[in-house]
Structures are given as C-alpha cells and as structure tokens.
C-alpha cells in the first residue's frame, strides 16, 4: 500500500506540474492580449440552457471571425447577433421567442433593448456598448403531434418520416419532432428530390390539412404525395464531334436500363467528359436531349441523344505555383504529376491538387488554367498556407485511469519540407505518457509516408508498475483501392516491470526489446464514432530478436475484428472478436518480458473487471498475465432517442497462462447493460458488468464509466 500510494503521489505531482505549465501559458497569453491596455467588449448569453448558451455564443463568434476582439459593440453587431439568435430559436421550434439585451454603454449607463422585432425596429445610432448580455425567453415549443402521408408508394411511410422528424429512437419526444416553417419547406423539397432520384420525375409533394395550436404548440399535418409514372432510360445514342466537324466522327448506342433522374443525367454526362479529359480534351461538353418517349400505364421509357463536342486538344504550357512562402518549391513540384508539353489531362491535374492538399500544409489549393493559344494552356496552382503551429488540450475519462488530461502540440511544414511533428503529453491518475512522431509524407511515393517516433509510458497496472520507453522508424502505406492501411516499423524499447512479486516467475522484469512491428487496418464502418453498419479488421504482428539489437526473442500476434449490423432504425447488433498469443520460438519461455504478456479486462474488454484484472492469477492470487487469450463481445443497442441508447451485452474471455495450453484453459463471462449518451466526440457510456463465474479474489461486478465505442 505504501508503494502504491507513493506511485499515486508522483503521478498527482506530475499532473500538478502540467496544470501549472498550462496556467503560466494562459497567464502569458492573457498578458499579451492586455498589453495594448484596451479591454475587449464582453458578450454573454443566458436563458437557453448551459450548453445552448455556449453554442449560441460560439455561433456569434462568426461575426468577428478573423478580426481582433472589438473594444465596443455597435448597433450593427447587436442587430446581426439578434437575427442569428432568433433564427436559431425558430429553427429549434421556438416560433414566438422573446429576445432582450442588457447593454452597458460607453459612458457607463445600462439600458434594456427589446430585440424581438429588430428587423422592423432598428436600434438607435450611434451606439457603443462595452457589455452586451442577450436574455432569451424561448416561449412555446412547436412540434408535430400527428404527421400523415397519402399517395406514397415508392418508399415506406417510415422512410418518408425521416425527412421531417428524427425517428431514431424508441421514445418519441417533443424535442425530436420539432416544427418550423423553414424545416417543413426543406423536408418537402428533400422528399421530392428523393422520389425524383428513384425515377419519379413528375413527383410532387405538398402540405395539406395543416393545423397548429398556439396554446400547446401541437402541429398536425398531412403530406400529400403524387408520384406519377416512373421514368426509365432505355437507350442513349452518342454522337461525337471533334474540332469544327459538322458530322459526327463516332456514333455508338448505350442501353442503360436505369431509372431516370437529373442526378443520373449529370453522372452520365460527367462520365463521358472524364473520358475525354484523360485524352487531352479539357473543354469536352455533353448535351443530352430526349428523342423518344414510350409511355405505359405506370412507366415511361426514354431514348436520349448525347451530343458530345470534344473541343480542341490541348497541351500543357507552363506549370506554376503561387501563394506559398514557407514551403520549398521542390516539395511542391514533386507532387505535381503534369509536365510541360504533354496533353492536358484535367483528371491528372486534379489528382496533383489532391496530393498537394494531402500534405497538410495548405488550407486550400486552387487549380487555374490560362489560355496561351487554342491548343496550349498554362496551369497554375494557387496555394494558401495554413498555420504552422497548433495547440490542443486533451481530455478523457475511464473507470480505471479516471480523469485524463493533456496537451497535443503540432508543427506543420517543418523546414519547409511539408514534414509534420507531433508531441502528445497525457497525464491521468494512473499513468504518465509522452509520444513524439515525426512524419515525412509521400517520402517514397504517393500515399507512402515515413515516420520516426519516440515514446515513454509509466503506468500503474493492477499487479505491477509498467515502465516503457523507446522509439523507432517506419513506413506507412495506404492502399486506396482496398481501403487498407499498412505500416511496418523497427522499434527499440526498454521494458521494465516493477513492484511485481509474480513477475520473476513468469518472465523478465527488465529487458531490451528490438522488434519489427507490422500493423494492418481495414476499416469499412460507416462511422468510426458511432458504427451502425460495416466491419473493421486489425492485426498487429511483432517479432523481437536479439539479432535486431535487443536481448530477447519473442513473437507476438494480436488480431481483432468487429461487425455492426442494423436490425431496425433504432436497434443495432455489435459483435467483436479478439485473439492474441505470444511465443518465444528460439528462446526459453522464461525469457519473455513480463510487459508483453496479455492483461485483459476493462471498459473495452470484458466489462465485469477493471483494466487488467481479468488476467490469469497464480496460486497466491497474484495477476500474472496470459500468453494467449480470446475475447468475444456481443452487444445489443436500443436507441431511446436520437441521443440516448440502452445497451445489453455479454462478454466472454478465454485465456491460458502458458502457450502450451493454447487456445485456453480457463474462461470468464460477464453480462450487463448500461446507457450511452451521444456526443460530438463519441458516446459517453455508463455500464455495469456482472461476473457470471468469478474466481477467488475477483469482483462480483464492475461499474464502468468511459468515453468512446467499446470495440
């Protein structure tokens, strides 16, 4: 207890030091801002709830975006801010709000302004305010009580309802069925566009039987749909002309047999233009017209004529770059794959623009063409460099580490080479970590980056204190066609396990590991924060050898996958499977570093245990880690509202203390449930896992509070 208390004190002390550094930074920043001896005008918002007030205040920041904080607020600012607030309230369903402002003028007088009808009653001029406090009275919330559809057949009423209200939940709350005139107008337009995309070119959507109650806010409406006949594209005859030819040089006919819509028409024309762009015809144009219409009872089949004018064939003149200051020209030119004298391929020119944007150096990259003559054009890339240094504060919470805080420092365009370096410092009540990465983008070719990294970690585990530090060099390649990210690196680490009485019996407490590590990731989920459909595959292969410079030999494999299946609009099934093992081929098993064993458990593993607590124990009840494990997670999620969900889960873990007992000789099971709150940084989860077969010294269950999806 004394040792563990000392560890906690040192971590808390480190956390205090970081807080002091941040405080000094903020004091220095505030001192710099106040060095001009001019206090900026103050702005406050109240009456819309804690988070609502913050959101509105942030929204008002766009009125002074890119400008220095003003010393005074004038009448124009207050009027513009009022219009933004009133618009936001009406979009949120509060159609009759009251907005007032308490204003402290330049001479110290305080006045109250009624801003509810600011468009009709402008503020007096001149007006100079040092403080403005907007006070909001929301008034009545208008919401759909009944929403019906008639004449709808192409899609279900449930699908159509999504265009008007939020439907992703078991509970139908007022806040998910808000009504505003603008929202209703956009909903009608979006439903119309969807029907037309499906081929119902003549579809119309109108609002009928609309009723609203100004005493309760209830709105009843019937949406009347007239779909009309469904249109299909039967054939497209292409007539291609080059230069000033009056007769087509090429004629061919396609038979798409697809539903007709304006989107199809745009995509078809773009596909033809793209083919000519690649051949050096940058002005290729396509005009589509209907030549024949065959009308049936419920269907209309169309024949089209596509007149293709290729235009002149153009060569690339001078290739130039403007607008850059800190980036080396050689770095920019290497990403531009077009050369003077070749045919002007607009697709290749756009690809070069994408590669320049991917460097992470430029806020924007614009592509411009300048005609030299009919058959020659200069190409210019107008570059807008972004900021070179960025500082972000980090925050997180987990049931084991509790509060996590830190800072991330990024420097872009190092040495003008478009290199990027990142330093991340994180402190929690259980660990201290530092990670540094230096990245050289596209060092060996497109989508292939080289990186250097260094890291240090001190973490208080359940049964020992982990100390790891080292670094390495590697290469990362993204295979766009396969959607797969692959990295390989050489890594050298000092591994130390202290305060672990069982470590001596299980492996090395102190070692130097030199390894080749390969990571492969294929992510096909629809959303990494809130996966609803798709899958993810991940593998980590680590081979350590004394031939690489260390003093240990081991082979470690960690595999994981997850599947996400929608059962309905508000129900999802999440499945996870992980497996890992570590071997010591060519060395004795006792030479395995204790740090490289597996210690499962926690909010992202088997949830009835704290992090690392579900690992094997020795005869004295001490946690010693596993040489192989298999973890399976099954989770059912039921949305209550679009932001709140209930979850029920079953986690099962099999493991073996020794690899000779592969794949497992012991199993643990946890079942439980919880609630999840949807935020812009990921789900905030409160879950309880009950252990169905706890061992001696194991908890009956564990309450987990964390941020992020579990697997």
């Amino acid at each position: 207890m004394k040792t563990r208390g000392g560890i906690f004190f040192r971590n808390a002390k480190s956390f205090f030091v970081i807080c002091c550094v941040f405080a000094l930074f903020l004091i220095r920043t505030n001192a710099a801002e106040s060095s001009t001896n001019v206090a900026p005008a103050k702005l406050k918002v109240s009456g819309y709830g804690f988070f609502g007030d913050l959101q509105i205040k942030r929204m008002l920041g766009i009125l002074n975006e890119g400008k220095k904080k003003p010393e005074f607020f004038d009448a124009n600012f207050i009027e513009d801010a009022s219009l933004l607030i009133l618009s936001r309230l009406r979009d949120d369903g509060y159609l009759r709000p009251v907005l007032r402002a308490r204003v402290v003028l330049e001479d110290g007088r305080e006045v109250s302004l009624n801003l509810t009808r600011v468009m009709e009653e402008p503020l007096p001029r001149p007006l100079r305010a040092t403080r403005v406090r907007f006070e909001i009275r929301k008034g009545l919330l208008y919401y759909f009580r009944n929403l019906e559809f008639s004449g709808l057949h192409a899609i279900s009423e449930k699908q159509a309802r999504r265009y008007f209200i939020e439907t992703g939940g078991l509970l139908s709350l007022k806040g998910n069925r808000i009504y505003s005139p603008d929202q209703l107008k956009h909903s009608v337009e979006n439903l119309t566009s969807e029907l037309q995309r499906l081929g119902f070119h003549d579809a119309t959507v109108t609002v009928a039987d609309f009723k609203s109650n100004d005493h309760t806010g209830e709105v009843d409406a019937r949406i009347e749909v007239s779909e009309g006949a469904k249109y299909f594209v039967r054939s497209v005859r292409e007539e291609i002309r080059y230069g000033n030819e009056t007769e087509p040089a090429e004629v061919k006919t396609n038979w798409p047999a697809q539903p007709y819509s304006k989107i199809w028409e745009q995509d078809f024309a773009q596909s033809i233009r793209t083919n000519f762009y690649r051949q050096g015809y940058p002005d290729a144009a396509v005009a589509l017209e209907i030549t024949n219409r065959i009308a049936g009872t419920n269907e209309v089949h169309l024949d089209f004529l596509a007149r293709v004018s290729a235009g002149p064939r153009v060569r690339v003149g001078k290739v130039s770059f403007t607008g850059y200051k800190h980036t080396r020209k050689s770095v920019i030119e290497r990403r531009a794959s077009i050369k003077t004298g070749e045919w002007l391929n607009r697709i290749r020119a756009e690809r070069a623009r994408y590669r320049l944007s991917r460097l992470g150096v430029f806020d924007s990259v614009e592509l411009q063409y300048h005609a030299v003559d009919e058959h020659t054009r200069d190409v210019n890339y107008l570059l807008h460099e972004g900021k070179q240094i960025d500082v972000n504060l980090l925050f997180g919470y987990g049931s084991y580490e509790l509060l996590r805080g830190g800072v991330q420092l990024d420097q872009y365009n190092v040495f003008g080479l478009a290199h990027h370096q990142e330093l991340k410092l994180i402190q929690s009540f259980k660990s201290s970590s530092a990670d540094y990465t230096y990245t050289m983008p596209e060092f060996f070719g497109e989508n292939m980056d080289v990186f250097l990294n260094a890291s240090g970690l001190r973490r208080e585990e359940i049964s020992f204190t982990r100390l790891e530090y080292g670094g390495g060099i590697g290469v990362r390649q993204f295979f766009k066609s396969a959607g797969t990210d692959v990295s390989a690196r050489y890594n050298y680490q000092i591994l130390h396990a202290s305060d672990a009485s069982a470590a001596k019996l299980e492996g090395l407490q102190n070692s130097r590991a030199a390894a080749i590590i390969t990571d492969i990731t294929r992510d096909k989920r629809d959303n990494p924060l809130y996966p609803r459909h798709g899958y993810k595959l991940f593998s980590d292969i680590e081979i350590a050898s004394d031939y690489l410079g260390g003093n240990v030999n081991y082979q470690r494999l960690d595999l994981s996958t997850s599947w996400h299946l929608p059962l309905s609009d508000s129900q999802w099934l999440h499945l996870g499977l992980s497996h890992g093992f570590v071997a010591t081929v060519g060395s004795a098993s006792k030479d395995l570093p204790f740090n490289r064993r597996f210690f499962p458990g926690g909010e992202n593993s088997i949830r009835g245990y704290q992090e690392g607590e579900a690992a094997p124990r020795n005869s004295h009840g001490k946690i010693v880690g596993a040489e192989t494990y298999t973890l399976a997670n099954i989770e059912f999620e039921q949305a209550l509202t679009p932001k709140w969900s209930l979850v029920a889960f079953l986690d099962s873990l099999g493991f073996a203390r020794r690899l000779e007992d592969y794949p497992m000789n012991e199993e643990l099971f946890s079942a439980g449930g919880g609630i999840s709150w949807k935020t812009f940084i990921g789900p905030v989860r409160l879950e309880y896992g009950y252990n169905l077969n706890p061992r001696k010294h194991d908890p009956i269950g564990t309450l987990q509070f964390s941020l992020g999806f579990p697997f």
Side-chain angles (χ1 to χ4, degrees):
M1 293 295 292
K2 184 177 180 180
T3 303
R4 293 169 67 89
I7 292 170
F8 177 82
F9 175 77
R10 288 194 294 271
N11 280 345
K13 185 177 181 180
S14 301
F15 185 74
F16 175 75
V17 170
I18 290 179
C19 290
C20 289
V21 171
F22 281 130
L24 289 173
F25 174 77
L26 293 175
I27 291 172
R28 185 175 179 180
T29 302
N30 291 335
E33 289 182 351
S34 61
S35 61
T36 58
N37 296 321
V38 176
K42 294 183 179 181
L43 176 68
K44 289 187 178 181
V45 179
S46 64
Y48 207 51
F50 179 76
F51 292 107
D53 293 342
L54 289 178
Q55 290 174 354
I56 290 179
K57 187 174 180 180
R58 190 179 302 115
M59 177 184 70
L60 298 182
I62 65 175
L63 297 176
N64 287 311
E65 190 172 6
K67 302 177 184 178
K68 185 179 177 181
K69 290 184 177 180
E71 183 181 357
F72 301 101
F73 293 126
D74 59 14
N76 290 332
F77 174 87
I78 297 175
E79 288 175 348
D80 292 343
S82 302
L83 292 175
L84 286 175
I85 294 173
L86 292 170
S87 177
R88 164 66 186 270
L89 293 172
R90 290 177 180 127
D91 287 343
D92 288 350
Y94 299 99
L95 304 187
R96 300 162 68 186
V98 175
L99 179 63
R100 302 189 68 85
R102 294 189 181 276
V103 177
V104 177
L105 301 177
E106 183 181 12
D107 58 9
R109 289 183 298 121
E110 182 176 334
V111 297
S112 179
L113 303 175
N114 187 347
L115 303 173
T116 307
R117 304 177 61 187
V118 69
M119 283 289 291
E120 303 170 12
E121 301 173 2
L123 298 178
R125 269 109 168 135
L127 187 152
R128 286 158 62 91
T130 58
R131 293 184 182 183
V132 176
R133 181 188 183 97
F134 291 102
E135 298 178 344
I136 298 171
R137 289 175 57 191
K138 298 181 291 187
L140 197 63
L141 174 66
Y142 284 75
Y143 65 97
F144 284 107
R145 184 184 65 170
N146 293 315
L147 184 62
E148 300 177 352
F149 295 85
S150 62
L152 185 64
H153 307 287
I155 61 176
S156 67
E157 183 173 317
K158 191 174 184 180
Q159 290 175 295
R161 194 177 293 271
R162 294 177 190 166
Y163 292 95
F164 294 82
I165 60 177
E166 295 184 80
T167 60
L170 188 64
L171 304 177
S172 182
L173 303 179
K174 292 181 182 179
N176 304 327
R177 294 178 282 129
I178 61 173
Y179 159 78
S180 73
D182 286 343
Q183 181 228 16
L184 180 59
K185 178 182 177 182
H186 294 321
S187 299
V188 167
E189 292 173 350
N190 291 336
L191 179 57
T192 304
S193 297
E194 174 63 16
L195 293 172
Q196 291 175 348
R197 187 187 66 82
L198 294 174
F200 297 93
H201 181 64
D202 299 327
T204 59
V205 179
T206 56
V207 179
D209 300 334
F210 179 86
K211 298 177 182 178
S212 64
N213 189 323
D214 291 334
H215 298 288
T216 63
E218 296 173 343
V219 173
D220 299 331
R222 181 170 60 86
I223 309 302
E224 193 172 280
V225 179
S226 176
E227 295 177 347
K230 189 170 185 177
Y231 285 65
F232 289 90
V233 180
R234 192 180 72 147
S235 68
V236 181
R237 174 186 169 91
E238 293 182 37
E239 295 183 353
I240 303 171
R241 293 172 174 80
Y242 296 92
N244 297 320
E245 296 174 348
T246 56
E247 295 297 324
E250 298 178 32
V251 177
K252 58 181 179 180
T253 302
N254 299 310
W255 303 86
Q258 294 182 5
Y260 168 73
S261 68
K262 287 295 183 181
I263 294 177
W264 171 88
E265 188 174 316
Q266 294 167 5
D267 291 344
F268 185 82
Q270 182 61 34
S271 66
I272 296 176
R273 286 194 295 267
T274 299
N275 291 333
F276 281 92
Y277 292 162
R278 296 183 188 278
Q279 300 174 48
Y281 296 94
D283 299 325
V286 180
L288 281 167
E289 64 177 73
I290 299 172
T291 58
N292 188 31
R293 180 191 301 255
I294 303 174
T297 305
N298 297 313
E299 295 181 354
V300 176
H301 294 265
L302 305 175
D303 294 322
F304 283 85
L305 172 62
R307 291 192 173 91
V308 182
S309 175
R313 201 173 191 189
V314 177
R315 291 191 181 274
V316 177
K318 180 182 178 182
V319 180
S320 59
F321 307 90
T322 57
Y324 64 95
K325 295 180 180 179
H326 305 98
T327 311
R328 296 188 186 183
K329 188 176 182 180
S330 59
V331 173
I332 299 172
E333 290 178 334
R334 193 161 62 245
R335 269 70 183 181
S337 55
I338 59 174
K339 305 296 181 184
T340 299
E342 67 182 15
W343 295 117
L344 176 54
N345 183 341
R346 288 183 59 174
I347 305 303
R348 186 179 298 171
E350 283 291 338
R351 186 177 178 182
R353 189 181 70 84
Y354 165 75
R355 290 188 66 186
L356 289 169
S357 300
R358 186 180 174 273
L359 288 175
V361 173
F362 307 109
D363 284 340
S364 64
V365 180
E366 299 178 32
L367 176 56
Q368 301 173 335
Y369 299 101
H370 303 287
V372 178
D373 53 47
E374 186 181 5
H375 297 285
T376 309
R377 286 184 195 172
D378 293 338
V379 178
N380 177 63
Y381 290 92
L382 180 58
L383 311 172
H384 301 273
E385 290 181 332
K387 57 184 176 181
Q388 292 183 286
I389 296 179
D390 192 20
V391 181
N392 291 292
L393 298 181
L394 306 176
F395 173 79
Y397 188 89
S399 295
Y400 180 71
E401 290 199 7
L402 303 177
L403 186 66
R404 292 189 294 267
V407 62
Q408 179 176 316
L409 307 173
D410 291 274
Q411 183 181 5
Y412 303 95
N413 205 12
V414 183
F415 307 123
L417 296 172
H419 294 178
H420 170 224
Q421 58 181 344
E422 174 189 283
L423 176 63
K424 187 183 296 184
L425 305 172
I426 299 178
Q427 176 67 53
S428 74
F429 285 95
K430 295 289 187 180
S431 69
S432 304
S433 67
D435 291 281
Y436 172 80
T437 305
Y438 188 93
T439 304
M440 295 170 276
E442 299 195 349
F443 191 81
F444 289 126
E446 189 171 358
N447 294 326
M448 183 176 287
D449 304 337
V450 172
F451 61 90
L452 303 168
N453 72 289
S455 63
L457 171 67
R458 186 181 185 280
R459 176 181 163 89
E460 183 184 355
E461 305 286 1
I462 287 289
S463 61
F464 70 102
T465 298
R466 182 190 299 271
L467 180 62
E468 301 175 355
Y469 57 92
I473 182 172
V475 61
R476 182 183 297 109
Q477 171 80 52
F478 178 67
F479 297 92
K480 188 175 181 179
S481 58
T484 302
D485 194 46
V486 179
S487 69
R489 68 185 187 275
Y490 168 81
N491 196 63
Y492 185 90
Q493 271 191 315
I494 304 298
L495 304 176
H496 180 64
S498 63
D499 306 321
S501 58
K504 297 179 181 179
L505 303 176
E506 301 301 328
L508 299 176
Q509 287 183 272
N510 299 285
S511 60
R512 302 188 312 274
I516 299 296
I517 303 174
T518 302
D519 295 328
I520 303 175
T521 305
R522 179 179 174 85
D523 195 343
K524 290 295 183 180
R525 297 174 297 175
D526 58 342
N527 188 315
L529 293 179
Y530 297 95
R532 296 294 184 240
H533 182 270
Y535 65 91
K536 180 183 179 181
L537 302 173
F538 173 77
S539 68
D540 178 89
I541 305 169
E542 180 179 354
I543 301 176
S545 171
D546 50 12
Y547 290 107
L548 297 173
N551 63 355
V552 290
N553 296 275
Y554 64 86
Q555 304 80 41
R556 195 173 192 267
L557 175 67
D558 207 350
L559 305 171
S560 65
T561 182
S562 63
W563 297 272
H564 308 275
L565 309 171
L567 304 179
S568 70
D569 289 343
S570 60
Q571 296 176 333
W572 301 273
L573 184 65
H574 308 289
L575 306 173
L577 181 64
S578 302
H579 175 63
F581 67 84
V582 59
T584 54
V585 177
S587 181
S589 60
K590 65 180 181 180
D591 291 336
L592 175 67
F594 190 71
N595 295 40
R596 304 312 289 150
R597 300 175 72 84
F598 296 101
F599 297 88
E603 64 262 20
N604 298 323
S605 179
I606 180 168
R607 282 166 275 190
Y609 296 83
Q610 293 187 62
E611 193 164 336
E613 197 176 21
R617 297 177 181 269
N618 61 15
S619 58
H620 301 288
K622 301 293 185 180
I623 292 176
V624 296
E627 292 186 2
T628 178
Y629 83 98
T630 301
L631 172 69
N633 308 93
I634 302 175
E635 179 172 296
F636 171 76
E637 179 180 357
Q638 169 67 66
L640 297 176
T641 72
K643 290 189 177 296
W644 292 90
S645 295
L646 289 177
V647 297
F649 59 82
L650 174 65
D651 301 329
S652 62
L653 173 69
F655 54 78
R657 181 177 171 184
R658 297 279 181 253
L659 188 59
E660 50 261 32
D661 295 319
Y662 181 89
M664 66 189 71
N665 62 1
E666 194 172 355
E667 295 177 277
L668 297 174
F669 298 92
S670 293
I675 192 164
S676 174
W677 175 41
K678 186 176 182 179
T679 70
F680 70 95
I681 56 175
V684 175
R685 298 154 41 209
L686 180 63
E687 300 166 337
Y688 180 78
Y690 177 77
N691 293 323
L692 302 179
N693 60 334
R695 305 164 297 180
K696 186 179 180 180
H697 306 296
D698 282 351
I700 297 176
T702 301
L703 184 66
Q704 306 282 3
F705 181 73
S706 58
L707 174 66
F709 198 81
F711 53 86

